């Protein structure tokens, strides 16, 4: 799955525009170019596992009401920021659909255990030889 393949229902999205910061000179003070995209996670219709992973990926950007808040203000135009916010949402959704593989527990072989014990014995012998010299 690629970010271009993600289809987000329009009724799950709510956009508002804010005065942006960053590049743009006087334009920043006059025009609301930054976009705040609110996404209702329940309306996305994700599988429960993908929903949980998306919440984990989003972290503190998820509100108590179950909305994901994405703020885009990198660009100087409203349209570019809208596209940026939607692209970031699509990337998060794609990442949420990737399930982590379960770790398969492994054990050292009997030969590996024996070799480790043998190395410990050798190291112990070296350290024993460093003791104080006794004169009889």
């Amino acid at each position: 799955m690629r970010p271009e393949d993600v289809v987000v229902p329009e009724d799950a999205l709510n956009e508002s525009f804010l005065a942006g910061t960053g590049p743009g000179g006087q334009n920043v003070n006059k025009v609301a170019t930054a976009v705040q995209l609110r996404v209702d996670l329940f309306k996305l219709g994700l599988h429960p596992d993908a929903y949980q992973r998306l919440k984990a990926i989003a972290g503190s950007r998820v509100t108590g009401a179950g909305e994901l808040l994405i703020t885009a203000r990198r660009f100087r135009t409203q349209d570019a920021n809208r596209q940026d916010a939607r692209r970031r949402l699509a990337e998060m959704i794609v990442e949420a659909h990737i399930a982590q593989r379960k770790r398969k527990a492994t054990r050292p072989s009997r030969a590996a255990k024996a070799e480790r014990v043998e190395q410990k014995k050798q190291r112990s012998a070296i350290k024993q030889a460093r003791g104080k010299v006794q004169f009889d």
Side-chain angles (χ1 to χ4, degrees), residues 8 12-14 37-41 44 66-70 89:
V8 179
L13 302 177
N14 183 12
L37 183 67
R38 287 182 176 272
V39 184
D40 189 347
L41 296 180
L44 291 178
E67 289 183 325
L68 170 61
L69 201 64
I70 298 175
L89 171 63

Side-chain angles (χ1 to χ4, degrees), residues 3-42:
E4 301 87 42
D5 300 335
V6 175
V7 178
V8 179
E10 284 297 321
D11 65 330
L13 302 177
N14 183 12
E15 289 178 333
S16 56
F17 299 97
L18 334 154
T21 59
Q26 196 61 33
N27 190 53
V28 170
N29 301 330
K30 295 188 295 185
V31 184
T33 55
V35 177
Q36 190 175 59
L37 183 67
R38 287 182 176 272
V39 184
D40 189 347
L41 296 180
F42 302 116

Side-chain angles (χ1 to χ4, degrees), residues 6 8 12-16 35-44 46 50-72 84-96:
V6 175
V8 179
L13 302 177
N14 183 12
E15 289 178 333
S16 56
V35 177
Q36 190 175 59
L37 183 67
R38 287 182 176 272
V39 184
D40 189 347
L41 296 180
F42 302 116
K43 290 183 180 177
L44 291 178
L46 297 174
Y51 172 77
Q52 289 300 325
R53 283 192 292 270
L54 181 59
K55 279 181 66 173
I57 290 166
S60 63
R61 289 177 285 193
V62 177
T63 65
E67 289 183 325
L68 170 61
L69 201 64
I70 298 175
T71 306
D84 184 42
R86 288 171 186 248
R87 181 190 52 77
R88 285 168 37 199
L89 171 63
E91 287 173 357
M92 282 184 179
I93 292 172
V94 168
E95 191 177 340

